[in-house]
Amino acid sequence: MKKKRPTLQDIADRVGATKMTVSRCLRDPETVSEGLRERIFGIAEQLGYIPNRAPDLLSRATSHSIGVLVPSLTNQVFADVIVGIEAHTEPAGYHLMLSHYGYSQELEERSLASLLSYNVDGVILSDHDHTPRSLRMLETAGIPIVEIMDTHRPPLQQAVGYDNVRAAYDMVSEMIRRGRRQVIYLAVRLDERTRQREQGYRQAMEEQGLTPVTLQSSQRSSYTVGAALMQEIQRDYPEADGIFCTNDDVAVGAYFECRRQGVDVPARMAIAGFHGHDVGQAMSPRLASVVTPRQAIGEAAAQALLARIRGETLAQRVVDLGYRIEAGDTL
């Protein structure tokens, strides 16, 4: 059952103003005095107020829509996840309301407020960390929540994905087992999953008495960024014999930069990526990668969310679908 959301009247009662004044202030803040405006927005924040764009008569009805928040619309990882989600939501008669937030918690907060204002029946989130206001809105909404792509940390309600720390640890351990001793981690975006993979990388290196080195870029993942980071390795770490990349785009870019510079892969440099994208599996030599079940994650997340929307009890808080270490031809 959805919780009763705070209303305009709830805010008005606490502020000591009329419902119409509160509504006017929230629509156009400049129409009321500064002092009143601050009180209204303060109470709205405190209550976790979510604007409701649905007609009042339908505000307690199900919308047959599901909110999906993803950090990127161009990243193949999330494109695959969305395909999996839609495979179950569309036949069930649920419409996806999709929003992206560019890896920004503040933009995620605004996107979440917009989605919740349409009275969605559940939400699928792509990250575990949120602003305090986002958490209050989710609590106020009282709807089923599923987080995807991360099972390493306890979820708000339910999570579907894999353990990024363990996956990185297993790949780097395989590189070390094959004789690599100076493996460098290439990190981009610097989001939570990138940091988790760095944690697994460091654990694998330090367990073998090896020195971890991370090269970072705050730019979005791309072949160009991978090539630029490879140039940095050649300049500053000429003895490096392995690269573990936070995703396949970076790894492919690093590989082609090795080709350009005449660096033999894998004889001189081992390269591994993350996610097992088609481009890495189709190229020759085939890219070593942590292969993740993105579409299956979307399907499992949708199934879990729909079950709870139907009123079924939460059967499993964490659904770990695992991953596969693909050695390819670049180790």
Side-chain angles (χ1 to χ4, degrees):
M1 292 289 293
K2 292 185 181 180
K3 292 185 179 179
K4 182 180 181 299
R5 302 184 183 191
T7 64
L8 290 173
Q9 190 62 57
D10 293 330
I11 300 173
D13 290 343
R14 294 213 184 185
V15 172
T18 66
K19 178 180 174 181
M20 185 177 298
T21 299
V22 172
S23 177
R24 186 172 70 250
C25 174
L26 294 176
R27 287 197 312 271
D28 187 359
E30 297 304 318
T31 60
V32 302
S33 67
E34 181 178 355
L36 180 57
R37 181 167 66 242
E38 289 179 355
R39 293 206 309 277
I40 289 173
F41 277 96
I43 293 298
E45 172 84 5
Q46 181 182 336
L47 293 177
Y49 174 74
I50 302 167
N52 190 355
R53 293 190 176 96
D56 287 342
L57 290 176
L58 299 178
S59 63
R60 285 192 288 274
T62 59
S63 64
H64 273 78
S65 61
I66 290 172
V68 181
L69 281 149
V70 294
S72 170
L73 293 178
T74 59
N75 190 322
Q76 183 186 331
V77 171
F78 295 101
D80 292 341
V81 170
I82 291 167
V83 168
I85 293 172
E86 287 187 324
H88 291 273
T89 55
E90 290 300 321
Y94 280 83
H95 171 66
L96 283 194
M97 299 188 70
L98 188 64
S99 186
H100 80 99
Y101 51 93
Y103 296 89
S104 163
Q105 288 186 16
E106 290 69 29
L107 183 54
E108 184 202 42
E109 177 186 301
R110 295 196 293 274
S111 298
L112 181 61
S114 178
L115 288 175
L116 292 177
S117 75
Y118 286 100
N119 214 24
V120 293
D121 297 323
V123 291
I124 295 176
L125 305 175
S126 301
D127 278 295
H128 179 76
D129 293 322
H130 313 280
T131 66
R133 180 169 179 249
S134 290
L135 292 173
R136 284 195 296 272
M137 286 191 294
L138 289 168
E139 171 63 22
T140 299
I143 57 178
I145 302 165
V146 175
E147 297 165 79
I148 56 173
M149 311 305 287
D150 176 15
T151 61
H152 185 68
R153 296 184 295 172
L156 293 173
Q157 293 180 5
Q158 190 173 26
V160 178
Y162 50 88
D163 189 327
N164 283 276
V165 176
R166 190 70 201 182
Y169 174 89
D170 286 348
M171 174 56 85
V172 176
S173 294
E174 178 63 17
M175 297 176 78
I176 294 170
R177 188 187 71 80
R178 291 171 178 248
R180 307 298 170 168
R181 290 296 178 267
Q182 296 190 41
V183 180
I184 294 178
Y185 177 55
L186 301 187
V188 297
R189 277 294 189 191
L190 312 183
D191 65 313
E192 177 58 27
R193 284 178 287 273
T194 295
R195 291 191 290 269
Q196 287 182 0
R197 290 165 200 162
E198 181 181 21
Q199 181 182 339
Y201 156 76
R202 287 184 173 274
Q203 287 178 2
M205 293 289 284
E206 290 170 353
E207 276 186 13
Q208 299 300 319
L210 304 175
T211 302
V213 174
T214 296
L215 299 184
Q216 299 179 344
S217 172
S218 60
Q219 299 180 51
R220 73 176 183 86
S221 173
S222 68
Y223 305 144
T224 304
V225 169
L229 290 172
M230 183 63 214
Q231 292 171 5
E232 191 174 335
I233 289 173
Q234 290 296 92
R235 184 185 70 239
D236 299 335
Y237 302 93
E239 300 305 313
D241 59 5
I243 307 169
F244 173 54
C245 305
T246 193
N247 61 42
D248 283 358
D249 289 352
V250 175
V252 170
Y255 168 75
F256 282 113
E257 181 61 22
C258 284
R259 285 284 302 271
R260 191 183 72 82
Q261 294 191 27
V263 177
D264 192 309
V265 177
R268 172 65 184 84
M269 183 71 72
I271 300 177
F274 204 102
H275 282 310
H277 287 171
D278 288 346
V279 62
Q281 298 306 295
M283 75 181 207
S284 182
R286 191 159 50 96
L287 181 67
S289 189
V290 177
V291 180
T292 57
R294 285 99 55 193
Q295 185 168 333
I297 287 170
E299 292 180 5
Q303 288 176 310
L305 194 70
L306 290 171
R308 291 168 55 210
I309 289 173
R310 292 192 298 266
E312 297 178 21
T313 57
L314 177 59
Q316 191 176 357
R317 286 197 76 214
V318 177
V319 180
D320 195 322
L321 297 183
Y323 52 85
R324 186 178 83 252
I325 300 299
E326 174 56 65
D329 301 312
T330 59
L331 293 190

